[in-house]
Amino acid sequence: MEKNLTTGSVFKNVILFSLPYLLSYFLQTLYGMADLFIIGQYDGVASTTAVSVGSQIMHMITVMIVGLAMGTTVSIAQAIGADNKKQASKAVGNTIVLFMGVAIAGMTLLLMLVRPIVSVMSTPAEAVNGTVTYLTICFIGIPFITAYNIISSIFRGMGDSKSPMYFIAVACVANIVLDYLFMGAFKLGPAGAALGTTISQAISVLVSLTVIIKRKSIALIKTDFRPHRPVMGKILSIGIPIAVQDGLIQVAFIVITIIANQRGLNDAAAVGIVEKIMSFLFLVPSSMLSTVSALGAQNIGANKPERAIATLRYAVIIAVGFGILSTITIQFTAGSIVSLFTDGNTSDGADVIRLGSQYLRGYIFDSIFAGIHFSFSGYFCACGKSGLSFLHNILAIVLVRIPGVYLTSRIFKATLFPMGLATAAGSLLSVLICVIAFYVIYHKEPIKKGA
């Protein structure tokens, strides 16, 4: 399972590592998109809105778990790069103990707060009951979501991005089958969507544990599970800023959802659908962030900072190229894409398509800017400086994204296009901060081994 990525062609390593990662993200994104697509075939706008709002909450929770697990990926990758297997084993053992506590505490707290969360979201009255049901079932499945993501972070830290791809592929197939069973055959609506997601995550975890046991991929001893302050401290010092950052980014998008919800049911459905489409298009930037984090950390651990910088450079080129292509394509196909998620033959459905097309055509520019600052965030994490990633994202949210969306929603009441542009403008500020930080801090002071 372990693979050293500190030698050979940097570009080749980026491609070979990122492709399985990209496919993993693609399959994971299909979870939410499949839920929305299938619910749209069997239920009305209220159910679609319930799944849209509920899945956005679950996406926020998931990305925070992934962000926290980034501390594990970087810690293990640096240990592997330094050829310190004992340290890598300690990081694995401490990760398991740490995240078991996080999962149980998180599940309990969220189940207690499910109705207040739905209320804070300004969920339209027609969708409240469906959203509560969806979230309750999904919250029960948080231990499975956590388990999958920490297992994946461990594998990727060791240079293996393929195994997590296989695990999520099994879960994705199971989710689609279960969605049609629960929402189509059994007519369970939002509850069926949640059941399909939760059960498929459980299946993914069982498959991954079976593979680990059969391969004997990870050799651990009892002392590896003993909480070790320096090990846990490093995991948390890297992971917490990323988790908080990702959580606040999702809060910003939730605020945008709340603003859209206040405009009416159709606006809420349109924004929810576009968020799912954008989460799909953000697969490439997200995979570049994770690739730069893992590969960069290994090279920094091996005292090869120049290879970490080369990894960043190739990631930016790949992500920006994809973003430009996506932006051009969406300008001509936005309506057709949004129509996949709602019935355009009804008056409400046609309005959702119109509004969604407007929002998507503005929002899509974010795919270019996000590709740049996601890659830089991965580099900062690999260097153990995740606070910089936190900083640029928070400034973008507070100074541009939220106030911009709020103002455009008030000024332009007949269209969602300016709201989409305001969201993208936040990422543009992040890009500027990242470039300045890189050249001021790192260009003149390369990272030393063990940083």
Side-chain angles (χ1 to χ4, degrees):
M1 181 185 72
E2 182 182 311
K3 185 176 181 181
N4 190 301
L5 300 169
T6 62
T7 59
S9 167
V10 174
F11 180 73
K12 182 178 179 181
N13 284 342
V14 169
I15 296 298
L16 293 180
F17 188 90
S18 66
L19 284 178
Y21 218 143
L22 176 61
L23 186 53
S24 296
Y25 273 128
F26 169 73
L27 294 172
Q28 199 160 19
T29 302
L30 279 182
Y31 271 77
M33 295 188 74
D35 288 348
L36 269 181
F37 176 79
I38 297 170
I39 197 79
Q41 310 307 308
Y42 295 103
D43 278 292
V45 174
S47 292
T48 299
T49 302
V51 172
S52 172
V53 173
S55 61
Q56 190 169 6
I57 294 293
M58 290 308 302
H59 180 67
M60 180 183 73
I61 293 168
T62 300
V63 298
M64 289 183 71
I65 294 170
V66 172
L68 192 58
M70 186 67 73
T72 294
T73 299
V74 171
S75 296
I76 294 174
Q78 287 187 353
I80 295 298
D83 197 26
N84 190 341
K85 295 185 179 180
K86 183 178 180 181
Q87 186 67 19
S89 296
K90 281 186 179 180
V92 173
N94 275 248
T95 290
I96 294 170
V97 173
L98 175 63
F99 280 87
M100 281 177 60
V102 169
I104 294 171
M107 177 187 69
T108 303
L109 180 63
L110 289 168
L111 285 172
M112 293 170 59
L113 296 176
V114 62
R115 286 195 173 274
I117 289 171
V118 174
S119 177
V120 167
M121 289 291 292
S122 293
T123 306
E126 303 92 328
V128 167
N129 289 336
T131 306
V132 169
T133 301
Y134 179 90
L135 285 176
T136 299
I137 296 171
C138 287
F139 287 167
I140 293 171
I142 281 178
F144 298 116
I145 295 173
T146 304
Y148 165 74
N149 282 291
I150 65 167
I151 289 171
S152 296
S153 72
I154 291 168
F155 274 80
R156 288 162 181 157
M158 293 184 170
D160 180 3
S161 61
K162 291 183 180 179
S163 295
M165 176 187 69
Y166 299 139
F167 303 151
I168 200 64
V170 172
C172 186
V173 172
N175 184 61
I176 292 173
V177 172
L178 291 172
D179 273 355
Y180 276 109
L181 177 65
F182 292 140
M183 287 188 279
F186 295 163
K187 308 294 182 184
L188 294 179
L195 283 170
T197 298
T198 301
I199 294 172
S200 60
Q201 285 280 10
I203 292 172
S204 176
V205 172
L206 290 174
V207 170
S208 62
L209 290 176
T210 300
V211 170
I212 289 172
I213 292 170
K214 286 188 175 181
R215 285 186 188 173
K216 298 181 179 180
S217 303
I218 303 172
L220 299 173
I221 57 178
K222 284 185 179 181
T223 56
D224 292 329
F225 295 96
R226 185 180 302 156
H228 195 248
R229 181 173 294 181
V231 175
M232 281 196 175
K234 184 173 183 178
I235 292 171
L236 293 174
S237 67
I238 296 171
I240 287 178
I242 298 299
V244 174
Q245 161 208 298
D246 290 346
L248 290 176
I249 290 172
Q250 295 308 311
V251 167
F253 288 124
I254 287 172
V255 171
I256 293 171
T257 299
I258 292 171
I259 293 171
N261 287 349
Q262 293 172 345
R263 289 171 62 116
L265 187 64
N266 290 346
D267 291 70
V271 169
I273 289 170
V274 172
E275 291 293 349
K276 286 298 179 185
I277 295 169
M278 288 302 297
S279 68
F280 173 76
L281 293 174
F282 274 12
L283 294 177
V284 170
S286 295
S287 66
M288 289 301 107
L289 186 158
S290 300
T291 298
V292 175
S293 296
L295 272 64
Q298 278 203 16
N299 283 290
I300 287 167
N303 199 21
K304 297 180 179 179
E306 71 286 348
R307 288 179 61 87
I309 293 174
T311 301
L312 168 63
R313 181 168 56 250
Y314 286 125
V316 168
I317 292 171
I318 292 169
V320 169
F322 175 80
I324 292 172
L325 180 62
S326 298
T327 300
I328 294 171
T329 302
I330 286 297
Q331 301 308 315
F332 299 99
T333 61
S336 299
I337 293 172
V338 175
S339 68
L340 294 173
F341 300 92
T342 190
D343 184 2
N345 294 320
T346 66
S347 59
D348 282 343
D351 197 37
V352 169
I353 293 172
R354 177 182 64 83
L355 293 166
S357 300
Q358 295 167 354
Y359 188 53
L360 181 57
R361 287 191 177 99
Y363 194 171
I364 188 61
F365 288 95
D366 202 10
S367 65
I368 300 174
F369 306 136
I372 301 173
H373 75 76
F374 274 43
S375 297
F376 274 101
S377 290
Y379 178 77
F380 295 147
C381 290
C383 297
K385 302 291 185 181
S386 56
L388 283 171
S389 180
F390 171 83
L391 177 64
H392 78 73
N393 277 290
I394 297 310
L395 289 176
I397 290 169
V398 174
L399 298 180
V400 179
R401 188 167 285 128
I402 290 179
V405 168
Y406 177 78
L407 290 174
T408 53
S409 72
R410 297 300 184 197
I411 297 171
F412 303 96
K413 295 185 179 298
T415 176
L416 292 178
F417 179 74
M419 283 179 60
L421 289 178
T423 301
S427 285
L428 180 57
L429 177 60
S430 280
V431 170
L432 295 175
I433 295 172
C434 284
V435 172
I436 293 171
F438 176 79
Y439 279 100
V440 170
I441 299 174
Y442 293 105
H443 187 62
K444 295 181 181 179
E445 300 179 20
I447 296 298
K448 299 292 191 297
K449 185 176 180 178

